[in-house]
Amino acid sequence: MTTHHLAIEKKRIVHLAEGKFNLRTSKMTTGVIRYGYHDSVAVIDSTKIGKTAEDVLGFGGDVPVVGSLAEAMKFEPEALLIGITPPGGRLPEDMRTVIIEAIALGLDVYAGLHDFLNEDEEIASAAKDQGVMLWDLRKPPRSMPVGGGLTRWSKSYISLMVGSDAAIGKMTVALEIHNKARERGINSEFVATGQCGIAIAGWGSPIDAIPGDFMAGVVERDVLSCDGADMILVEGQGSLYHPGFSSVTLGLIHGACPHSLILCHQSSRTEISNIRDRPIPPLNEVADHYLAFVHSFRPECRVVGVSLNTSGTSNEEARAAVEEAEALLGVPATDPIRFGPDKLVDALENHRRELGM
Amino acid sequence: MTTHHLAIEKKRIVHLAEGKFNLRTSKMTTGVIRYGYHDSVAVIDSTKIGKTAEDVLGFGGDVPVVGSLAEAMKFEPEALLIGITPPGGRLPEDMRTVIIEAIALGLDVYAGLHDFLNEDEEIASAAKDQGVMLWDLRKPPRSMPVGGGLTRWSKSYISLMVGSDAAIGKMTVALEIHNKARERGINSEFVATGQCGIAIAGWGSPIDAIPGDFMAGVVERDVLSCDGADMILVEGQGSLYHPGFSSVTLGLIHGACPHSLILCHQSSRTEISNIRDRPIPPLNEVADHYLAFVHSFRPECRVVGVSLNTSGTSNEEARAAVEEAEALLGVPATDPIRFGPDKLVDALENHRRELGM
């Protein structure tokens, strides 16, 4: 399927999502259950004991929710995945306790925290004694180049997911498009750029944890490693409108030098989340703002589709939002979760053919 | 002078600039000799033995150049500063040898490499045994916030140096303006954002070494720590036109949310250095491109001056370049090294008064 060396082979995974197992707050767990190649055998969340993934998320089948790691052991997990991200990515005490317990039980531990397991004396030495593996999903790669805009000469078609805001569904959109493209026989590659995407794909670099000097260079290298694919879908991060994360977004734009953008938006969102006094402009303005930055390296780049996250609205409201976006930007729009990603795959394929790639 | 806690008090410094002591390739040494508060007692460069800083740089007085650390010891240094930056910031073998030697001689060691001295087993344990201090100028701070665009509410006037290219003199411009402003009794603060600026100022965060998620937040915090000053001058990094470093530049723009920009350019430069096929657009286009990204957070931001690096050209050519820039952008322009920074200080003061700050 992928030609990339996977960091982790397929494993039986128990997820730690204590008190937070739902669509909004356990992104890692949700993503791996939905899109990952591992066997999710159980989820730890004492507030939802007895439920299944299907009950809680609306997908995932009968993956059971249990109250503790001890209870999860009867499902014979091989690894513990930290499924939730504490603010700032720091390791809380109760989480440390579960990790130490997992190591003692012989489980590998995978986590996407800014505090690396491998650099934590207590955790690292426990893992060493037990001979289990610790995977820090957010640890920058050992060798990191400076970007040179080399993706301008990519022989493969590159599309980048960008968002009006952070946390808007960019990863989900990329994966939906990727899976549908592959279904259709298109040799599509997904370039993960965040720890959830990396846990799902099994490879990739966590761009938001990479030092500023090297963000674009690492993206460039990861995208070029897919050269030869029909289509390279790059997971976006942040938003040019979020003052804290805009630099990560630009690192992706100039690292990937995409041929096209898929603009992602949540139809009900009007302000940048968690930022004081930062309204989201009209979508056509957002599109132009993004293009201004890409055009300095790839003048032919276009927004070829809009992906709307219409969760929490009715089918009717969703369809109206789709029509509004299409009228405003003159490109196909859809909610890939509610209506399927076909329109977006079509749009990308049409553009790719237009460019003769 | 400054209200910030200095990382290092005034010391007698010997600089390691072996084979590279000149204006272009020993930026750290050059900067500290020119602008720093330390006593530079000697420079190690076996290719220039017997010369002085004045001979080599055109300033710095009779700081002697010697052939080795052993020879430098007669000047009673207290610390060794690594004055050159190897590509990628990695530690070469010959440099390691000198560092170990310095530690054995009881000197502190200061370096701005991506490989941290404090994380090098051999160097760190040697320093520990000797009781000397190792300062990693490029090590991210322990606590790092996510940016929220809070500098939008700064009570102090903020100006950011931006460049058509990287390595164009942005730090030098900021320091020339800062020193002149202080001479005039203006309570100016200089916010260093790179290891050379940090070595000079004694405080600051190395933005290009900070993980993407936190770049803007750290800049924001450092700028707000100067709140109360008449004028806050922020050292720029990179350029929006350099595909590898543009993300660092945007992190500074959205972290500082400046009231004004000083646009820095080298009159003889037409291409982005070391990047294939990346011409520098006309200066007015460069100005507009930068403003497009500041304006999304501070609509009243203006380019209030142009700083030209006219080194390598005649006085006549320099004056012509100045006039051309002024005609093109309609704002004061000068070369602060050749002609003095007064025009730029005037421009900033006028703008500050205009904003009632």
Side-chain angles (χ1 to χ4, degrees), chain A residues 93-255:
Chain A
E93 270 315 301
D94 48 359
M95 199 179 276
R96 169 185 293 277
T97 307
V98 181
I99 288 171
I100 295 290
E101 196 187 331
I103 291 169
L105 289 164
L107 304 185
D108 293 343
V109 183
Y110 313 152
L113 305 172
H114 279 296
D115 284 337
F116 304 137
L117 303 178
N118 280 292
E119 289 178 14
D120 183 293
E121 234 187 277
E122 182 189 17
I123 291 173
S125 58
K128 191 174 180 195
D129 292 342
Q130 275 283 40
V132 297
M133 183 245 192
L134 302 173
W135 188 21
D136 287 305
L137 286 140
R138 225 166 184 171
K139 194 169 169 145
R142 240 174 262 117
S143 113
M144 298 185 290
V146 170
L150 302 179
T151 33
R152 281 176 287 171
W153 292 281
S154 166
K155 294 184 300 298
S156 296
Y157 179 81
I158 303 165
S159 191
L160 173 68
M161 315 296 113
V162 295
S164 54
D165 192 7
I168 209 132
K170 296 187 289 294
M171 179 192 79
T172 302
V173 176
L175 286 161
E176 289 289 328
I177 292 172
H178 172 59
N179 289 341
K180 176 62 64 177
R182 287 206 155 248
E183 233 179 79
R184 291 199 202 172
I186 298 163
N187 179 16
S188 157
E189 288 275 10
F190 166 69
V191 177
T193 59
Q195 73 267 32
C196 299
I198 293 166
I200 289 165
W203 75 279
S205 313
I207 300 307
D208 62 6
I210 280 169
D213 253 6
F214 303 112
M215 280 199 293
V218 170
V219 177
E220 183 175 286
R221 180 173 66 193
D222 285 356
V223 170
L224 289 174
S225 78
C226 299
D227 221 31
D230 292 331
M231 177 183 298
I232 302 172
L233 298 160
V234 185
E235 177 190 1
Q237 294 293 334
S239 158
L240 288 181
Y241 292 96
H242 189 299
F245 301 137
S246 56
S247 50
V248 181
T249 308
L250 191 61
L252 277 163
I253 289 173
H254 285 168

Side-chain angles (χ1 to χ4, degrees), chain A residues 119, chain B residues 111-120 134-144 194-195 198 204-211 218 221:
Chain A
E119 289 178 14
Chain B
L113 306 171
H114 279 298
D115 284 337
F116 304 137
L117 304 177
N118 281 292
E119 288 178 15
D120 183 292
L134 301 173
W135 187 22
D136 287 304
L137 286 141
R138 223 163 185 174
K139 195 170 169 141
R142 238 173 264 116
S143 112
M144 298 185 288
Q195 72 268 33
I198 293 166
S205 313
I207 300 306
D208 60 7
I210 281 170
V218 170
R221 180 174 65 193

Side-chain angles (χ1 to χ4, degrees), chain A residues 11-31:
Chain A
K11 296 273 182 185
R12 298 174 63 79
I13 302 235
V14 55
H15 297 261
L16 178 62
E18 178 54 35
K20 293 190 171 154
F21 180 40
N22 64 56
L23 279 171
R24 281 176 311 105
T25 54
S26 58
K27 187 180 171 188
M28 181 83 88
T29 289
T30 303

